[in-house]
Amino acid sequence: MRIYRVTVGREGGESRVLKVPSKTDVQAADAAAPLMAEGESVLAIHETDDAYQEVSEGARPPGTQTHPDRIV
C-alpha cells in the first residue's frame, strides 16, 4: 500500500491536502472521495514517501469494508 497526497478544493479557490492509502494514483482519488466536501474536486495527486504511513482521519483504501453489512 502506498500513501498519496490528494489536493482537493475548488478551482481558483481554497484547497486542502488529504493523505490517503491506495495501491494506485487512480484509486487514491476514490479513497479521497468520502473525505471531500460538496463541490470539491480533485486538483492533484502525488505519491509520498511517508515512512510513518500517516493518513487523513477517516481515509480507507478503496474496497475496504466500512460497515459489516455493506461492501464499499
Side-chain angles (χ1 to χ4, degrees):
M1 193 69 54
R2 298 177 180 141
I3 302 298
Y4 289 86
R5 282 187 356 245
V6 181
T7 304
V8 299
R10 292 172 180 80
E11 192 69 40
E14 292 185 27
S15 64
R16 61 192 177 106
V17 175
L18 303 171
K19 289 173 72 175
V20 297
S22 181
K23 292 182 180 180
T24 69
D25 56 348
V26 173
Q27 291 176 333
D30 293 338
L35 304 174
M36 295 167 53
E38 187 174 330
E40 286 185 321
S41 60
V42 174
L43 303 175
I45 300 173
H46 300 282
E47 186 176 353
T48 68
D49 292 327
D50 188 348
Y52 296 105
Q53 304 290 310
E54 294 181 20
V55 297
S56 298
E57 186 173 328
R60 292 181 206 55
T64 59
Q65 201 165 352
T66 58
H67 188 275
D69 299 330
R70 189 179 94 195
I71 296 178
V72 179

